[in-house]
């Protein structure tokens, strides 16, 4: 089953998610234009003589959804100035944007911006604008084909063409989609047959982390193109969507095999870098991968994509910025024992790549980070042919139309920090439709009640339990997703730990050291104030899976080291021989490590709450002088 997005602005965040988005609005996104000249009044995307390539469109690709999910008038006003300039920039031949730069790539991002703007506002100028530009592309792409970045990211352009085709039915836009895919890299073949299996050592568009994250969209876009062509031809379809989902699984499987890290995402400290926890992940890669998962969920309707999306949002996305979203990292490390200027073992980056700042290493992440949280919030719910489906759980309110009536769903939850989700429905009139509730793959004993009556929470092969019934105002759905502690086994016997969708880590006490002559809203190195080289007593207290879990209310700053909302009370011991190299923790020693270090309490907290952390740990056995094991 395929899904459709709900209209931008129909989902409003609540609770901790709203606070997170408000931090973004008060921080890097809301103040970007005043602190960064590349997005100031001289931008080429405002008609000025300044930067005229991707940074303006990248920024808008996050500013527009942030403004609409928050309903923030100030942000809407900022976005309007850019959008009006873009719409007014179109020339008679259909081309648009800065005249000093005719690259196809940044216009692909601008197309995404215009589609979101049109979805949220109904702006009738956008479809004819797109039609004129798509006609321009059909005329000029054969003689001036995609190159460089555009030739590995063409799916972004195809999605816009499909959006217009769904509205006007013009077969030309499907032809354009096919032409763009012909000129795009064959990502499916590369990721399944030709994928580099070690650390990349030279630049190649196919090993660049954000490109890979975007290239993973190819199976979904190919499935959408095939389905649209079948619909135009009056065919019932040939099941290609199932095959394309199989292709995506194969791509993800190969990436995990050779580059997968303890938290489930693949490395990319500029280029693909292998499986070790000290290799980095670029912030651009994080937000692009999350967007790919959201779009793939629309194309395939598979719950496992929501599982992956939650992992990315609640862990890597949360950790990519400082807790108040005033600064960001270019690269984050799964195990990160310092965020300082140092010569780390990146595949290709400068020494400042993992400080928290305005534009460490390179400015693309400062331009592009803005889309992560607002697009995630806008994707929590999706429209299914028979009703509504959950992509991810978070506190929110959905107001939309289903089965011919107005429907509001209040989602009360502190998920992912808690296990329960409560949905309260309000309808204009009673109506029958399906609610598709995603049951995460990690949850083995879900509990479901409708109006206090227990319902069997048996998910189908797509990961969804379907509640198909006549709904009335006041109906309440309660879903409990018990979160058992789980081991993630790594090389050399090391372990990672997960609790529901959260990656749990051993935190390292942090000292935030301001950098001199800081730009933007501040720039910091983060240095450790405590030891980091611990291993886990995985057999202590009845075994790791039985360690106590403590929960407290989510703080006003949701992802901060101060008062994390969930903690696992573990046991561990120092591993003195595990020492820092190149400003990072090298790979853990072989497990189990027999040590004379005393067993101590070793709490684990959410990955996104700890900017210094150890995510991949050896197991240890502490012994007394007489050889007795101590737990």
């Amino acid at each position: 089953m395929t899904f459709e997005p709900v209209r931008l602005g129909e989902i409003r965040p609540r609770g901790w998610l709203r606070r997170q988005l408000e931090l973004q609005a008060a921080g890097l996104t809301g103040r970007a234009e005043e602190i960064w000249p590349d997005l100031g009044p001289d931008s080429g995307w405002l008609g000025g003589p300044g930067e005229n390539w991707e940074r303006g469109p990248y920024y808008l690709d996050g500013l527009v959804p942030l403004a609409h999910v928050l309903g923030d008038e100030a942000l809407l006003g900022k976005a309007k100035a850019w959008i009006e300039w873009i719409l007014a920039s179109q020339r008679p031949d259909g081309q648009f944007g800065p005249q000093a730069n005719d690259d196809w790539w940044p216009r692909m991002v601008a197309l995404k911006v215009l589609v979101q703007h049109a979805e949220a506002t109904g702006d009738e100028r956008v479809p004819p604008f797109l039609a004129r530009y798509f006609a321009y592309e059909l005329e000029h792409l054969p003689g001036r084909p995609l190159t460089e970045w555009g030739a590995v990211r063409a799916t972004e352009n195809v999605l816009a063409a499909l959006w217009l085709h769904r509205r006007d039915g013009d077969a030309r836009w499907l032809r354009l989609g096919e032409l763009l895919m012909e000129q795009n890299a064959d990502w499916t073949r590369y990721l399944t047959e030709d994928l580099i299996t070690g650390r990349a050592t030279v630049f190649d568009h196919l090993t660049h982390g954000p490109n890979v994250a975007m290239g993973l969209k190819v199976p979904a876009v190919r499935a959408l193109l095939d389905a649209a062509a079948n619909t135009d031809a009056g065919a019932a379809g040939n099941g290609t969507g199932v095959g394309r989902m199989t292709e995506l699984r194969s791509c993800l499987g190969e990436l995990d095999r050779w580059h997968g890290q303890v938290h489930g995402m693949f490395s990319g400290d500029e280029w693909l870098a292998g499986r070790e926890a000290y290799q980095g992940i670029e912030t651009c890669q994080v937000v692009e991968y999350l967007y790919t998962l959201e779009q793939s969920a629309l194309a395939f309707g598979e719950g496992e994509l929501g599982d992956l999306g939650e992992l990315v949002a609640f862990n890597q996305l949360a950790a990519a910025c400082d807790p108040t979203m005033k600064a960001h990292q270019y690269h984050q490390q799964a195990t990160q024992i310092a965020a300082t200027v140092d010569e780390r073992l990146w595949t290709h980056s400068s020494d400042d790549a993992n400080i928290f700042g305005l534009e460490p290493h390179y400015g693309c992440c400062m331009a592009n980070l803005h889309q992560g949280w607002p697009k995630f919030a806008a994707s929590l719910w999706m429209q299914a042919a028979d009703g509504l489906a959950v992509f991810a759980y978070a506190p929110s309110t959905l107001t939309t139309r289903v089965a011919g009536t107005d429907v509001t769903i209040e989602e009360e939850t502190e998920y992912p920090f808690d296990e329960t989700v409560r949905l309260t429905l309000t309808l204009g009139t009673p109506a029958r439709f399906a609610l598709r509730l995603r049951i995460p793959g990690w949850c083995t004993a879900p509990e479901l009640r409708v109006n206090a009556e227990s319902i069997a929470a048996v998910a189908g092969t797509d990961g969804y339990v379907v509640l198909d019934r006549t709904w009335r105002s006041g109906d309440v759905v309660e879903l409990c997703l018990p979160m058992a502690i789980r081991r993630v086994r790594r090389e050399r016997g090391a372990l990672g730990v997960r609790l529901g969708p959260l990656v749990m880590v051993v935190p390292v006490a942090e000292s935030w050291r301001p950098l001199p002559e800081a730009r933007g809203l501040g720039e910091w190195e983060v240095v450790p104030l405590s030891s980091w080289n611990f291993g886990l007593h995985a057999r202590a207290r009845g075994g790791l899976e039985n360690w106590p879990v403590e929960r407290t209310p989510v703080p006003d700053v949701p992802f901060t080291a101060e008062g994390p909302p969930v903690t696992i009370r573990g046991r561990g011991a120092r591993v003195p021989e595990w020492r820092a190299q190149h400003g990072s923790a090298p790979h853990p020693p072989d497990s189990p490590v027999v040590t004379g270090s005393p067993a101590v309490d070793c709490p684990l907290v959410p990955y996104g709450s700890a900017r210094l952390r150890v995510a991949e740990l050896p197991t240890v056995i502490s012994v007394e002088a007489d050889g007795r094991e101590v737990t």
Side-chain angles (χ1 to χ4, degrees), residues 319-344:
C321 290
D322 78 286
T324 57
M325 295 200 73
K326 292 184 174 67
H328 76 283
Q329 291 181 291
Y330 191 86
H331 292 323
Q332 62 177 276
Q333 297 167 293
T335 289
Q336 183 166 273
I337 60 171
T340 53
V341 178
D342 206 339
E343 185 181 357
R344 291 178 172 80

Side-chain angles (χ1 to χ4, degrees), residues 392-430:
Y393 294 103
S396 60
T397 299
L398 167 69
T399 302
T400 189
R401 285 189 65 81
V402 185
T405 192
D406 294 329
V407 176
T408 296
I409 301 178
E410 299 277 353
E411 182 172 349
E412 299 172 87
T413 184
E414 289 197 334
Y415 185 94
F417 309 109
D418 198 11
E419 301 174 330
T420 60
V421 177
R422 178 184 173 92
L423 307 175
T424 302
L425 284 76
T426 302
L427 291 84
T429 59

Side-chain angles (χ1 to χ4, degrees), residues 310-321:
E310 288 186 349
L311 265 179
V312 176
F314 300 146
N315 298 288
Q316 291 91 344
L317 179 61
C321 290

